[in-house]
Amino acid sequence: MSYLWVLIVLTAVTVVWVLLAFSRVLFRIEYRRRGQEEWFLLEVTALWGLFRYRIAQPAIKPGAADGASGVHFEATAGKNPERYTFFANFQALFSMFYRVSRRLGRYKRPFFYVWRRMRIMRFEWHTSLGTGDPATTGVACGMLWMVIDFLLNCFSPFLKTPASVSVNPSFFAPLFGTSLHVAVAIDLRHLLGAGISFFYHPNGK
């Protein structure tokens, strides 16, 4: 009877080891915006598809309220001027970055542990941008290319497939549309390792 229990325990240990050694967690994020229509998708898949968590819904519009400080582009379509707000107000952005930086400072050890071991399976970002004025459109597209270049430099060591990016300027018509698709794979054992790192270093030290 004791041999049977030993066999059961060894089998259970082997199964767990296989799951930890070969299973991975896939995170997929999609964001699309065309005019005033937005769509956001977050999907987490693990254990070869046996576990799947998915959020798909219209995204919250990032427009700042009238009178609030923010990044605005004003464009004219015919005789009717229209205002397009591409980013939230500066106060909301500062508050968000402050909270993120504090959390990264506290959890930097497990965060960078996972960061160094992630694999970016897909990175696609395509944007069409126009303000109705060629000069400001050129400046806006140049700034967007700087952001994309910075992100690609950060992500290039982890890319498993070539990134697909584009910025299409619309010099004479107001236009904004973007689509972002990112898929990141992380081995389950690395996520558990990050959890152990946080357990032994809860203050990030």
Side-chain angles (χ1 to χ4, degrees), residues 30-33 37-41 54-59:
E30 288 189 40
Y31 173 77
R32 299 192 304 271
R33 177 166 182 172
E37 297 182 357
E38 293 180 290
W39 182 258
F40 175 79
L41 169 70
R54 180 185 177 100
I55 298 176
Q57 61 184 14

Side-chain angles (χ1 to χ4, degrees), residues 141-181:
C141 290
M143 294 177 62
L144 184 57
W145 269 119
M146 290 176 60
V147 173
I148 293 175
D149 185 64
F150 173 77
L151 292 177
L152 289 179
N153 286 333
C154 294
F155 295 154
S156 58
F158 313 107
L159 287 170
K160 296 303 177 182
T161 58
S164 176
V165 297
S166 67
V167 177
N168 302 307
S170 177
F171 290 107
F172 301 104
L175 175 68
F176 180 70
T178 189
S179 63
L180 176 67
H181 189 174

Side-chain angles (χ1 to χ4, degrees), residues 3-55:
Y3 291 105
L4 179 60
W5 280 108
V6 171
L7 180 60
I8 293 175
V9 171
L10 289 178
T11 303
V13 171
T14 302
V15 171
V16 172
W17 181 86
V18 170
L19 290 177
L20 295 181
F22 298 102
S23 179
R24 67 182 184 182
V25 181
L26 181 65
F27 300 87
R28 188 164 69 93
I29 299 175
E30 288 189 40
Y31 173 77
R32 299 192 304 271
R33 177 166 182 172
R34 292 293 182 270
Q36 298 301 317
E37 297 182 357
E38 293 180 290
W39 182 258
F40 175 79
L41 169 70
L42 170 64
E43 185 178 72
V44 182
T45 307
L47 299 177
W48 300 281
L50 296 177
F51 171 83
R52 186 183 300 271
Y53 178 78
R54 180 185 177 100
I55 298 176

